[in-house]
Amino acid sequence: MAMRGLPTRGLLQVHMCYRSRMRWCPTSVLHLLRSARLRFCTRRGRNRLPLWIREIWAYMRLLVQSLYFNSLTDSDVVFDSVFEPVFWTVDYVTRWFGTVFVFLVVILTSSIVVIAYMVLLPLVLYTYSPQWIAWHICYGNWITIMIAFHYYKATKTSPGSPPTEKNDAPFVSVCKKCIMPKPSRTHHCGICNRCILKMDHHCPWLNNCVGHFNHRYFFSYCLFVTLGCFYCTISGRNLFLDAYNAHEHFKHLDTEKPGVPVTGDLGLLVGLLPSGQTNPQTPAPVYSLKDKMVNKSIIFMWVLTSTVGLALGALTIWHTVLISRGETSIERHLNSKERKRMAKEGKIYRNPFDYGRLNNLKIFLGVEKRSHWLTRVLLPSGHAPCGDGLTWDKFPVKKDLIPV
């Protein structure tokens, strides 16, 4: 009734303002959104995707979100996240094929030993002088014992892991896989699924990690296998050439006719034909199954030892260089990156675990006095390495403590 006095234009303005307020009211918009969300969720619940598809989608979302989950993300984190399926596949295959690799090493090594004792040793006894016979027997048995001992110890000795219970040992970081304190020089192995003290690498031929407590066994095994392969390659070179030439000669004879025809009176004159026989063939040289197996065994042994000697010799030289520098295979890459980073700042990086080339070798081999070169290096020895792998002294030995 009070609006009767208002003009018609004023009434229209009030009506339009009231309608606009009702149209853009936040409460009305919220009610509209809520009803649409409920209707959409109801429809989505009816057409729900299978569980395995939702799990894959959730994993992919988590993988993408992990690339930028905090401010500490860098290129290494992005690389690890993107290639995580590839790393998992490689670790899984290597873990399950480790036993196959060990079985292959045992079979190949045993075959060489059998050939040496069954084929080469009789030839040595009939053709060599007593001094050379004694040398070959002593050296061959010694190298065989050293190879078998160090391979067994390398496969059966645990490389060492940080303690899982609470302790006062210092640590430099926390493993992102184990979520455990990680001491210096310790790295996580994805194949063994644990942290390894002073980890060098995971060796599939050992089916074991190479770490603090079995690194010396691994290196000694590589060294003595290389010496044994070169010994077989050098000492068996002439036998290999004779066996190869004989095998090729008789192989060509097999493709030709078994003999050369000798006809007429010529055969009677030279005494090749018995009386009454006019068209014979001369018999081919005898190549028995035993001779064939002996020649193939010698060829197999020489080819295998020469190729393994070259490959494993290069690996042994590389590990010798790393040990003389006081670093492992992993620390080689880390020290190289740190050296380049500090070089840009005008500084020089020095490996804190490098005590000098000779001292590094002494510490690694456990040589504390002169007699240890014989008892701990040239003979089988199960002595423990220097230190516990958790803490490292700055200078564990004096400079040139043991004379060369």
Side-chain angles (χ1 to χ4, degrees), residues 41-111:
C41 292
T42 305
R43 291 180 179 178
R44 188 175 62 177
R46 295 174 183 174
N47 302 325
R48 201 159 191 177
L49 295 174
L51 178 61
W52 65 275
I53 296 180
R54 287 185 281 120
E55 288 180 349
I56 294 177
W57 175 250
Y59 176 76
M60 296 301 296
R61 288 182 58 189
L62 181 63
L63 183 65
V64 173
Q65 291 174 0
S66 66
L67 301 178
Y68 52 86
F69 71 98
N70 61 15
S71 60
L72 301 177
T73 302
D74 54 8
S75 59
D76 294 335
V77 175
V78 175
F79 182 83
D80 292 342
S81 301
V82 172
F83 286 91
E84 180 66 24
V86 179
F87 297 152
W88 182 87
T89 304
V90 173
D91 294 345
Y92 183 82
V93 172
T94 306
R95 186 184 302 115
W96 282 102
F97 275 86
T99 306
V100 178
F101 291 148
V102 172
F103 180 76
L104 185 62
V105 170
V106 173
I107 291 298
L108 293 178
T109 306
S110 302
S111 65

Side-chain angles (χ1 to χ4, degrees), residues 11 66 68 122 124 136 141 149 165 186 208 216 233 278 308 335 339 361 398 402:
L11 288 173
S66 66
Y68 52 86
V124 169
H136 285 293
N141 289 325
F149 172 80
E165 65 275 3
T186 301
N208 195 7
R216 179 179 66 87
T233 302
T278 60
V308 172
N335 292 342
R339 194 175 292 109
L361 290 173
K398 296 180 181 179
I402 308 168

Side-chain angles (χ1 to χ4, degrees), residues 211-225:
H212 178 64
F213 290 101
N214 66 344
H215 195 179
R216 179 179 66 87
Y217 297 128
F218 165 78
F219 174 77
S220 299
Y221 169 75
C222 294
L223 176 63
F224 288 113
V225 168

